Amino acid sequence: MEKTDDPAVACPIAPVVDLVFSRWTTPILWALHEFGRQRFVELERRIGVITPKVLTQRLRQLERDGLVVRTYHPEVPPRVEYEISDLGRSLAPLFASLAEWGSSNMDKVDHARQVYDARP
Amino acid sequence: MEKTDDPAVACPIAPVVDLVFSRWTTPILWALHEFGRQRFVELERRIGVITPKVLTQRLRQLERDGLVVRTYHPEVPPRVEYEISDLGRSLAPLFASLAEWGSSNMDKVDHARQVYDARP
DNA sequence: CCGTATCCTTGATGATACTG
DNA sequence: CAGTATCATCAAGGATACGG
């Protein structure tokens, strides 16, 4: 067996995981999906502990990937709104499955950890 | 609106994402799911560029979380086999959905990126 | 309000060597 | 074979300050 050096060959879903489940992207997409179109500061507060720098970076990336739509309103003070795109919305069933798996199985994970940690 | 400081409140699926989609865990679970029970070195080669140290770390974590089962055979030379657990296998439909989403939509992502990069 | 610009810290990873 | 130990590296993120 040869040693694979292409991660996408080793694991076909790796690109999708990189796209959707990078740090911060999940909370951002979730917030936009759950609470609809929002301004920058709303999003910042909603997500919790995130600095404006990082939030901007991730939003730009999501915009570039076509998962999020950014709308700039040239007013004073400026107003910018973010919303999830159709492409982003198409992830909803996936997120729902994920949430369901979690509520069904996270307690099993917790149990497994306790058993593991209790070993000699 | 108060600033949330609990990531799990801000995004209920965050814990599942941490569990399943941490770096390396996806390729490892994929390899075990696709190719069945394997020895350490097989896994190492299958995944491609991963050092034994990191592979060990991630396997230990997956074992602790109950997603992977490790079997040690006290022989000379030693033989250790890893296989996916029932809990880990229950992620299969999720992985399948993810793969399907990818094959349907990754080209849209690529296109969005080209459009974005071509802007003034 | 909506960011940008700097500087800094840290955790995850890589490289390498070694052991039961 | 299946790891462990140690050191080096590096990019993601945090802190802080500032700007249109």
Side-chain angles (χ1 to χ4, degrees), chain B residues 10-31:
Chain B
C11 178
I13 66 174
V16 185
V17 171
D18 280 350
L19 180 75
V20 182
F21 300 115
S22 294
R23 179 119 173 85
W24 296 122
T25 62
T26 316
I28 293 173
L29 289 175
W30 179 274

Side-chain angles (χ1 to χ4, degrees), chain A residues 97-114, chain B residues 8 11-21 61 64-67 87 90-91 94:
Chain A
S97 303
L98 220 52
E100 191 178 359
W101 189 94
S103 64
S104 300
N105 296 292
M106 282 306 286
D107 58 338
K108 297 179 187 172
V109 172
D110 288 337
H111 181 251
R113 286 174 178 166
Q114 288 185 11
Chain B
C11 178
I13 66 174
V16 185
V17 171
D18 280 350
L19 180 75
V20 182
F21 300 115
Q61 180 193 317
R64 186 175 105 99
D65 293 340
L67 298 176
L87 186 57
S90 73
L91 289 166
L94 226 46

Side-chain angles (χ1 to χ4, degrees), chain A residues 67-116:
Chain A
L67 298 176
V68 157
V69 177
R70 175 181 183 268
T71 311
Y72 177 77
H73 303 272
E75 306 167 359
V76 182
R79 185 162 58 90
V80 177
E81 289 182 316
Y82 292 92
E83 60 184 324
I84 198 164
S85 70
D86 288 341
L87 186 56
R89 228 184 310 274
S90 73
L91 290 165
L94 226 46
F95 279 35
S97 303
L98 220 52
E100 191 178 359
W101 189 94
S103 64
S104 300
N105 296 292
M106 282 306 286
D107 58 338
K108 297 179 187 172
V109 172
D110 288 337
H111 181 251
R113 286 174 178 166
Q114 288 185 11
V115 169
Y116 186 94

Side-chain angles (χ1 to χ4, degrees), chain B residues 24-40:
Chain B
W24 296 122
T25 62
T26 316
I28 293 173
L29 289 175
W30 179 274
L32 289 175
H33 178 259
E34 286 296 300
F35 303 98
R37 178 187 300 188
Q38 287 164 79
R39 304 180 63 165
F40 186 86

Side-chain angles (χ1 to χ4, degrees), chain A residues 12-82:
Chain A
I13 66 175
V16 185
V17 171
D18 280 349
L19 181 76
V20 182
F21 300 115
S22 294
R23 179 116 172 90
W24 295 122
T25 62
T26 315
I28 292 173
L29 288 175
W30 179 274
L32 289 175
H33 178 259
E34 285 295 300
F35 303 99
R37 178 186 300 190
Q38 288 165 77
R39 304 179 62 166
F40 186 86
V41 195
E42 291 181 90
L43 216 39
E44 190 179 354
R45 279 195 278 259
R46 185 96 57 192
I47 290 170
V49 284
I50 187 172
T51 58
K53 188 190 73 171
V54 174
L55 181 55
T56 301
Q57 287 173 343
R58 299 277 76 92
L59 282 171
R60 289 284 185 282
Q61 179 193 319
L62 289 168
E63 188 194 0
R64 187 174 106 97
D65 292 340
L67 298 176
V68 157
V69 177
R70 175 181 183 268
T71 311
Y72 177 77
H73 303 272
E75 306 167 359
V76 182
R79 185 162 58 90
V80 177
E81 289 182 316
Y82 292 92

